[in-house]
Amino acid sequence: MLAYILKRLALAIPTLFGLVTLVFVLTQFVPGGPIEQLEAQLRSGGHGESGGYRAGRDIDPEQLKKLKALYGFDRPPLERYARMLVGFARFDLGTSFQHDEPVARLVREKLPVSISLGVWTLLVSYLVSVPLGIAKAVRNGTRFDVATTVLVLLGYSIPGFMLGVFLIVMFAGGTFLEWFPLRGLVSDNWADLAWGARIRDYFWHLALPLTCLVVGSFAVVTMLTKNTFLEEIRKQYVLVARAKGLSERTVLYRHVLRNSMIPLVTGLPTAFVGAFFGGDVLIESLFSLDGIGLLSYESVIRRDFPVVIGTVYVFALAGLLIKVLADVLYTVVDPRVHFGEAAG
């Protein structure tokens, strides 16, 4: 197993190299880069509203040269690419054009929000969906099964942003009740509160955005759990276990559940990376949560290329490491699997 893990980590290097290279090449052809945006601002000269004043239309070539040197565009693309790779090897992600700060620092500043949204979304989704999927499989075809299917599919069909607007109007002082805060992950005086009050304040702020994120995520995991559980229940080893006199609870939770968890474990890396790093730009904007998702979106819009490439690098690295962790969990769920060992 150790040899397999080392092999996968070694394979992660060319994968990261290829992905970062692709994104770097794409940024070279995207119109409206940082220099072009600054040129447009300088041409407008702050007199765009008058429409008749055009004295700022021409840009001093020397000034343009200084701008290119400031952002590193005075060097050939291959040199910039090589510098970027050397920096990434040291986890130096460069400096943001827009914020004039190291990209690594910006990512660290946004991590608490992304961690909160991602981890709790994943935990709540799985803690609700897996038991619900098992209950639906055991009661397959009953009114409970039909009713819960309608509910989870209804939640899946409601856009998170629309649900967020509804929750704000109803419960965050929009029109009716003012039970929950409208912005931020914690209150302004959070550092002055006692630990118990800090925890309550944290979950108080997290309640509405977390609801928007998890409601739509129940359907996939619930239905996957139900279908895999039903498939396992119909297998021969379940009949044998029941014939031996094992209780139904033992059969379901010691044998069927273990085998049913394999598809869920294999899909966990994608779900984790999506929930942890992908976030939801609309939800973060709606509740004024400054996370990595919003940072990535704004960097694309503003052509902040170091942030774009840096966040892609972080996402890819985390995804590859989590995939290796999922393979380890796979062997825990099913000890018959031995990665990297030669066949008999």
Side-chain angles (χ1 to χ4, degrees), residues 132 136 141-154:
L132 180 59
K136 286 173 64 63
T142 63
R143 292 182 178 178
F144 172 82
D145 181 32
V146 175
T148 52
T149 298
V150 172
L151 288 176
V152 295
L153 292 180
L154 180 63

Side-chain angles (χ1 to χ4, degrees), residues 16-251:
L16 282 173
F17 174 80
L19 186 58
V20 169
T21 301
L22 177 62
V23 176
F24 178 84
V25 172
L26 290 175
T27 58
Q28 305 309 301
F29 298 98
V30 175
I35 299 298
E36 288 80 0
Q37 292 185 10
L38 284 172
E39 284 186 63
Q41 293 176 10
L42 291 173
R43 284 194 178 100
S44 65
H47 302 280
E49 294 180 358
S50 63
Y53 183 79
R54 309 181 69 83
R57 185 170 182 174
D58 296 328
I59 301 176
D60 183 5
E62 189 65 27
Q63 188 178 21
L64 184 60
K65 185 178 179 179
K66 290 180 180 179
L67 286 175
K68 290 183 177 181
L70 177 64
Y71 291 110
F73 288 102
D74 58 330
R75 302 185 182 95
L78 287 178
E79 182 180 346
R80 288 188 279 116
Y81 174 69
R83 286 173 175 266
M84 181 192 70
L85 291 182
V86 172
F88 279 14
R90 305 193 304 263
F91 212 76
D92 178 6
L93 306 182
T95 302
S96 167
F97 296 156
Q98 183 70 27
H99 302 277
D100 195 26
E101 292 184 32
V103 176
R105 182 191 302 169
L106 287 174
V107 171
R108 286 196 301 268
E109 290 174 354
K110 312 301 180 184
L111 273 180
V113 173
S114 296
I115 289 174
S116 297
L117 293 177
V119 170
W120 286 113
T121 297
L122 193 68
L123 284 177
V124 173
S125 298
Y126 270 74
L127 289 175
V128 172
S129 298
V130 172
L132 180 59
I134 295 173
K136 286 173 64 63
V138 174
R139 298 172 177 84
N140 184 40
T142 63
R143 292 182 178 178
F144 172 82
D145 181 32
V146 175
T148 52
T149 298
V150 172
L151 288 176
V152 295
L153 292 180
L154 180 63
Y156 184 74
S157 65
I158 299 175
F161 181 77
M162 295 296 296
L163 179 60
V165 172
F166 172 78
L167 293 176
I168 288 175
V169 171
M170 294 296 298
F171 304 110
T175 302
F176 298 96
L177 304 173
E178 195 172 354
W179 290 352
F180 297 95
L182 183 58
R183 58 185 297 118
L185 197 61
V186 292
S187 299
D188 294 335
N189 63 335
W190 186 81
D192 300 327
L193 300 176
W195 278 108
R198 288 185 182 184
I199 295 174
R200 289 193 300 270
D201 182 79
Y202 169 73
F203 283 106
W204 183 46
H205 283 76
L206 194 62
L208 294 188
L210 183 61
T211 300
C212 298
L213 291 172
V214 302
V215 165
S217 62
F218 289 144
V220 175
V221 180
T222 298
M223 301 310 295
L224 178 62
T225 303
K226 176 192 173 182
N227 293 334
T228 54
F229 214 82
L230 282 175
E231 183 180 352
E232 292 296 325
I233 287 177
R234 299 189 180 105
K235 290 185 177 179
Q236 188 68 30
Y237 75 89
V238 177
L239 297 177
V240 173
R242 286 170 174 166
K244 288 181 178 180
L246 297 178
S247 65
E248 190 68 11
R249 184 179 183 86
T250 302
V251 172

Side-chain angles (χ1 to χ4, degrees), residues 261-317:
M261 289 296 293
I262 295 176
L264 296 175
V265 170
T266 56
L268 188 61
T270 303
F272 185 86
V273 173
F276 186 74
F277 289 108
D280 192 313
V281 174
L282 294 177
I283 298 301
E284 290 185 6
S285 302
L286 190 62
F287 292 96
S288 300
L289 300 173
D290 193 10
I292 291 182
L294 188 58
L295 173 67
S296 302
Y297 172 75
E298 290 179 345
S299 64
V300 171
I301 297 299
R302 298 173 179 175
R303 304 295 192 266
D304 196 347
F305 296 147
V307 177
V308 173
I309 303 174
T311 52
V312 168
Y313 174 77
V314 172
F315 294 169
L317 180 61

